[in-house]
Amino acid sequence: AAQLPVLPWSEVTFLAPVTWPDKVVCVGMNYVDHCKEQNVPVPKEPIIFSKFASSIVGPYDEVVLPPQSQEVDWEVELAVVIGKKGKHIKATDAMAHVAGFTVAHDVSARDWLTRRNGKQWLLGKTFDTFCPLGPALVTKDSVADPHNLKICCRVNGEVVQSSNTNQMVFKTEDLIAWVSQFVTFYPGDVILTGTPPGVGVFRKPPVFLKKGDEVQCEIEELGVIINKVV
Amino acid sequence: AAQLPVLPRSEVTFLAPVTRPDKVVCVGMNYVDHCKEQNVPVPKEPIIFSKFASSIVGPYDEVVLPPQSQEVDWEVELAVVIGKKGKHIKATDAMAHVAGFTVAHDVSARDWQMRRNGKQWLLGKTFDTFCPLGPALVTKDSVADPHNLKICCRVNGEVVQSGNTNQMVFKTEDLIAWVSQFVTFYPGDVILTGTPPGVGVFRKPPVFLKKGDEVQCEIEELGVIINKVV
């Protein structure tokens, strides 16, 4: 068989595995241990918000600190990519609508989330470059159990978040069933399934990202995305 | 010159003038008189939220009442359609980024918007069919002054909202400048600029849409969209 062509890494730019989806659906407070960290009860229903697709960047792209925020924070998340259109999907059928999984960094401007924009979270979540995705779309057949994966975030090499997707309150199937009561899912739609504890805003004192920081978001079996803050 | 082909109306389905945009940006409490109706102060900054593009339907399509909501309400709005990519757009340059205007119906499930989903408005605003648009994209050169247009909503022929776009707190230019601080606008992006007073939820007693209702949303110079509730 012919040898496949090999390109030097330096000549390649990795894009996000999904660009321009119809929807980037996000879930708030979806890790039991992240709820404890905030001293809030575990939600009885998923809390759904969104980012615009225009915030998506590649796995090794830069995250641009906007001058309007002094409180930009990290959040590693398991992202689910939809592969098949559906509405009113039952939890038992939900995995048939999943193409695969990837790593997301749900970059968050805390000042805009909690104190501005009438407390609607959208603006603080959707600055350009605030949604690095990658490094690959790992198809679901290649993932033994998406709800038993180590998930961690490192800032400048120091582990700041370290947990397991088994801490998710609402699992992939529940989230697809819930959201598809409201909206039709289309192939390419992305669901960011929430972040484990260890975010900067709840540290004492709070810690936020600054220019020059390097953030690594890693999930077992899915890989690592590395985004420099500029 | 050759005669243009003429199709009978019954053989034609009108789609929305914009389908599958990257963004549907919405603005809350953006009419001075709508703020008075709610007894809330006029916002000092625009309050931005969103719908998913999957909620868009055509100007004469049906609005489907979801079984999950008992409080589906009407909101006629002036919609701005972006024609040119841009970020950090100055208010004085903003009209150069506008392709034109159309009529929107920002259908809203008040129970989900106000009391569920952690008070994030998204789900109550983004059920499928909750964003009728049309009947046409009226190019900006055809509109004398987008901020001096009569705007009204009728339910079963009765006028329920009647205002003028001169009551908008933040005008088209201000909104484009504000939102483009956060995100890049792309051609096709839609901005729903807020609703005048007269919505059902603030009536005494409150009134909501029911199956069989016909909602007409009309803006001077832009036309009327007619959506039956099923």
Side-chain angles (χ1 to χ4, degrees):
Chain A
Q3 188 93 21
L4 285 171
V6 174
L7 293 171
W9 182 286
S10 61
E11 288 181 13
V12 174
T13 303
F14 289 82
L15 303 179
V18 180
T19 53
W20 304 108
D22 182 61
K23 289 180 269 298
V24 180
V25 178
C26 304
V27 186
M29 296 183 280
N30 198 34
Y31 275 68
V32 173
D33 43 7
H34 180 53
C35 294
K36 281 185 190 155
E37 148 186 76
Q38 300 177 58
N39 233 331
V40 295
V42 172
K44 296 202 172 79
E45 294 173 344
I47 296 171
I48 304 297
F49 61 98
S50 70
K51 291 176 182 272
F52 290 130
S54 50
S55 63
I56 294 174
V57 293
Y60 313 114
D61 285 346
E62 293 172 339
V63 170
V64 180
L65 279 190
Q68 298 96 316
S69 175
Q70 308 310 313
E71 301 188 1
V72 176
D73 201 353
W74 55 82
E75 294 193 354
V76 60
E77 308 206 0
L78 171 68
V80 180
V81 179
I82 297 294
K84 194 173 94 175
K85 182 177 169 179
K87 181 94 194 267
H88 298 301
I89 301 164
K90 288 179 197 163
T92 48
D93 298 334
M95 286 308 286
H97 292 263
V98 173
F101 299 90
T102 193
V103 182
H105 184 183
D106 178 15
V107 186
S108 303
R110 300 294 178 196
D111 35 8
W112 284 92
L113 283 189
T114 56
R115 296 192 300 276
R116 303 286 288 273
N117 198 39
K119 301 195 176 171
Q120 295 301 302
W121 296 344
L122 174 69
L123 284 184
K125 291 284 190 174
T126 202
F127 281 94
D128 284 355
T129 75
F130 270 29
C131 190
L133 292 179
L137 174 63
V138 180
T139 51
K140 66 183 169 192
D141 55 297
S142 306
V143 181
D145 178 0
H147 304 112
N148 190 20
L149 301 174
K150 287 180 200 157
I151 179 168
C152 92
C153 177
R154 291 181 292 272
V155 177
N156 302 324
E158 184 201 342
V159 175
V160 289
Q161 296 185 277
S162 178
S163 185
N164 190 297
T165 59
N166 65 19
Q167 292 292 303
M168 282 169 61
V169 180
F170 301 99
K171 312 288 197 229
T172 301
E173 297 88 334
D174 307 319
L175 293 171
I176 290 173
W178 179 258
V179 176
S180 75
Q181 294 179 81
F182 298 84
V183 304
T184 303
F185 274 117
Y186 291 93
D189 284 350
V190 180
I191 307 172
L192 272 54
T193 60
T195 202
V199 295
V201 69
F202 296 125
R203 290 168 183 259
K204 290 168 187 171
V207 179
F208 298 106
L209 292 172
K210 55 188 190 309
K211 281 185 190 187
D213 283 347
E214 184 194 78
V215 183
Q216 299 189 354
C217 293
E218 182 164 8
I219 300 179
E220 194 181 1
E221 297 186 38
L222 305 184
V224 57
I225 60 176
I226 305 173
N227 303 94
K228 193 163 177 185
V229 177
V230 300
Chain B
Q3 188 92 21
L4 286 170
V6 174
L7 294 171
R9 177 118 186 199
S10 62
E11 287 181 12
V12 174
T13 302
F14 289 83
L15 303 179
V18 179
T19 54
R20 323 307 301 256
D22 179 60
K23 289 181 271 295
V24 180
V25 178
C26 304
V27 185
M29 297 183 278
N30 199 34
Y31 274 67
V32 174
D33 43 7
H34 179 53
C35 293
K36 281 184 191 157
E37 149 186 74
Q38 299 179 58
N39 234 331
V40 296
V42 173
K44 296 202 173 78
E45 294 174 345
I47 296 171
I48 304 298
F49 62 98
S50 69
K51 290 175 182 272
F52 290 130
S54 49
S55 64
I56 293 174
V57 292
Y60 313 113
D61 285 347
E62 292 172 339
V63 169
V64 181
L65 279 189
Q68 299 97 315
S69 174
Q70 309 309 315
E71 301 187 3
V72 176
D73 200 352
W74 56 82
E75 294 194 355
V76 59
E77 308 205 0
L78 170 69
V80 180
V81 179
I82 297 294
K84 196 173 94 177
K85 182 178 170 179
K87 180 95 193 266
H88 297 302
I89 300 165
K90 289 180 196 162
T92 49
D93 299 333
M95 286 307 288
H97 292 263
V98 172
F101 300 90
T102 193
V103 182
H105 185 183
D106 178 14
V107 186
S108 303
R110 301 297 180 197
D111 36 8
W112 284 92
Q113 181 189 350
M114 295 172 158
R115 295 192 301 275
R116 305 284 287 271
N117 197 41
K119 299 196 178 172
Q120 297 299 305
W121 298 346
L122 174 69
L123 284 184
K125 293 281 191 174
T126 203
F127 282 95
D128 283 355
T129 76
F130 270 28
C131 190
L133 292 179
L137 174 62
V138 181
T139 51
K140 65 183 168 192
D141 55 296
S142 306
V143 181
D145 178 1
H147 304 110
N148 189 19
L149 300 173
K150 286 179 200 159
I151 179 169
C152 93
C153 177
R154 290 181 291 273
V155 178
N156 302 325
E158 184 200 343
V159 175
V160 290
Q161 295 186 276
S162 178
N164 190 298
T165 58
N166 64 20
Q167 292 292 302
M168 282 169 59
V169 180
F170 301 100
K171 313 288 197 227
T172 302
E173 297 89 334
D174 307 319
L175 293 171
I176 291 173
W178 180 258
V179 176
S180 75
Q181 294 179 81
F182 298 84
V183 303
T184 303
F185 274 116
Y186 291 91
D189 284 351
V190 180
I191 307 172
L192 271 52
T193 60
T195 203
V199 295
V201 69
F202 295 125
R203 291 170 182 255
K204 288 170 187 165
V207 179
F208 298 107
L209 292 172
K210 57 190 189 309
K211 280 185 191 185
D213 285 345
E214 184 194 78
V215 183
Q216 299 189 354
C217 293
E218 182 163 10
I219 301 178
E220 195 181 0
E221 297 187 37
L222 304 183
V224 57
I225 61 177
I226 304 173
N227 304 94
K228 192 162 179 187
V229 177
V230 300

